[in-house]
Amino acid sequence: MFMKKVSLTGIKPTGILHVGNYFGAIKPALELAKDYDARYFIADYHALNTMKDPGELAANIREVAAGWLAAGLDPERLIFYRQSSIPETFELSTLLMAFTAKGLMNRAHAYKAAVQENAEKGGDPDAGINMGLFTYPVLMAADILLFDADVVPVGKDQVQHIEMAQDIAQAVNFNYKQEVLKIPQAAVQETVAVVPGLDGRKMSKSYNNTIPLFAPEKQLRKLIMRIVTNSQAVEEPKDPGSSQLYLLYTLFASPGEQAALAARYRSGGMGWGEAKEELFRVVNRELAPLRERFQTIMAGPGALDAILEQGAEKARPIARATVRRLRKAAGIDL
Ligand code: TRP
């Protein structure tokens, strides 16, 4: 029987989705789902490490899930679920702990950065660091290894975590002298341009320079008008290649539209205000239908919860099989 390869990724529900997430993560992952058996999930236990406000976490889980559905994720074609609905994740995570060197966790970038920050402040090196952060890569390895993932679409910042999942899986397979766990590969979308934010730096929640994916039309327009440009006058010819505004435009406009706008930039006579109006037009054209779908889903969250529950029901037998395999190999299932 021909089996499709498995693509899996986790989405940490720690903030509202923005245009950078859309082009950097959502679109490439949905593209991959056309050729792979995709398993995409909301990593709510990962979010818990940093989010302690229950109302905020609950709202984020729903909004991020609704966002992916609004952006085109088809829950009939791929398995879409919440990490917290798969108890096998936590069972596997505990099993993997026995194969994870503490030294490996010491080297994780996120943990190291937190320790470093504490050292710079001159206080307790462990201040504010919970075990969830320290063991984060083990939980993530469990997410991945549970579902026999071949590829894991992630941003560059997550590559180290995938390498750790490989290390941990190899330690298991080596010990039991059999392929108990499949070794996953990271799929980093190199071709996706860095999406510039309102201030020209990479669009990121931590820079506070994002365009929310589902911003109401009025707010969207306001944000676009706020994009930082240089001080060239209306009549001056402008270089599209060095304009963040133009770079954003290329993400939303057709090749014909891009060529036309580039020509207008170069010939002069078009001010930044007008260029922003044109950018708003194409951004709103693409995002308006997403926004509408998002609002419809959020208006009746019962249906959304049911979709995630159905996803979990499809996911659990796969997870169960992996845990059983490892328990048997380990001598725990007698
Ligand atoms: N750590 C990822 C992030 O911060 C989210 C995540 C959790 C994940 N589990 C995963 C990504 C498994 C890929 C595979 O974005």
Side-chain angles (χ1 to χ4, degrees):
M1 186 176 73
F2 174 72
M3 297 266 280
K4 272 197 202 167
K5 293 205 164 195
V6 172
S7 152
L8 172 142
T9 199
I11 303 139
K12 203 157 67 165
T14 42
I16 58 166
L17 296 174
H18 56 71
V19 166
N21 301 136
Y22 182 57
F23 288 103
I26 302 177
K27 271 195 146 183
L30 294 182
E31 202 49 47
L32 211 57
K34 292 181 183 161
D35 301 321
Y36 286 78
D37 246 338
R39 289 141 197 198
Y40 296 163
F41 66 94
I42 305 295
D44 41 9
Y45 267 79
H46 276 105
L48 186 62
N49 288 331
T50 51
M51 300 192 57
K52 298 298 194 292
D53 182 312
E56 201 186 334
L57 182 54
N60 272 350
I61 291 168
R62 282 222 178 94
E63 279 175 22
V64 171
W68 277 70
L69 290 169
L73 183 150
D74 178 357
E76 298 296 323
R77 288 196 45 198
L78 62 84
I79 308 184
F80 187 48
Y81 54 96
R82 293 171 59 170
Q83 180 187 36
S84 59
S85 308
I86 316 293
E88 289 79 6
T89 303
F90 315 109
E91 196 173 351
L92 182 59
S93 178
T94 296
L95 285 157
L96 297 180
M97 292 284 178
F99 293 88
T100 305
K102 174 172 177 287
L104 187 69
M105 298 298 95
N106 289 342
R107 290 195 290 278
H109 297 317
Y111 169 71
K112 265 173 65 175
V115 173
Q116 172 84 27
E117 203 178 305
N118 284 336
E120 277 158 18
K121 285 193 211 132
D124 174 3
D126 291 330
I129 299 177
N130 57 40
M131 285 303 287
L133 173 64
F134 187 60
T135 61
Y136 188 104
V138 184
L139 181 56
M140 184 157 156
D143 294 332
I144 297 169
L145 301 174
L146 206 51
F147 291 99
D148 306 318
D150 292 285
V151 298
V152 185
V154 283
K156 277 204 188 78
D157 63 317
Q158 296 296 315
V159 170
Q160 190 199 28
H161 291 144
I162 312 296
E163 290 167 356
M164 290 179 164
Q166 293 170 340
D167 284 358
I168 297 168
Q170 267 151 1
V172 170
N173 292 349
F174 180 77
N175 184 73
Y176 299 119
K177 299 190 174 49
Q178 52 175 304
E179 207 205 342
V180 186
L181 301 171
K182 179 172 280 176
I183 311 295
Q185 304 298 328
V188 183
Q189 235 61 33
E190 297 287 357
T191 48
V192 176
V194 170
V195 178
L198 300 176
D199 58 1
R201 291 187 291 174
K202 177 186 176 197
M203 189 179 290
S204 161
K205 195 178 55 152
S206 44
Y207 293 150
N208 204 7
N209 65 356
T210 64
I211 301 176
L213 202 48
F214 307 113
E217 194 166 314
K218 256 194 176 158
Q219 189 199 349
L220 183 64
R221 196 164 178 285
K222 251 196 207 151
L223 288 171
I224 288 176
M225 295 305 147
R226 224 198 273 156
I227 292 174
V228 176
T229 55
N230 64 23
S231 53
Q232 281 182 297
V234 172
E235 60 284 358
E236 280 182 77
K238 298 173 180 66
D239 171 29
S242 55
S243 158
Q244 306 288 1
L245 205 63
Y246 184 78
L247 188 55
L248 262 176
Y249 189 74
T250 61
L251 295 169
F252 292 94
S254 70
E257 288 170 327
Q258 293 176 37
L261 189 69
R264 291 201 59 203
Y265 261 63
R266 290 198 188 96
S267 62
M270 189 188 60
W272 293 123
E274 203 188 329
K276 286 177 180 178
E277 286 293 353
E278 174 58 11
L279 175 63
F280 168 70
R281 185 184 71 80
V282 294
V283 173
N284 195 48
R285 180 180 65 191
E286 175 141 348
L287 297 189
L290 268 72
R291 185 192 305 137
E292 223 165 89
R293 283 198 293 272
F294 178 75
Q295 278 156 359
T296 308
I297 298 168
M298 290 304 287
L304 170 64
D305 295 350
I307 286 174
L308 291 166
E309 212 28 61
Q310 283 155 16
E313 275 163 33
K314 288 189 248 171
R316 285 200 60 196
I318 307 171
R320 202 63 244 141
T322 307
V323 167
R324 208 173 284 139
R325 218 159 59 224
L326 179 50
R327 283 175 54 127
K328 205 153 184 57
I332 285 175
D333 271 347
L334 299 178

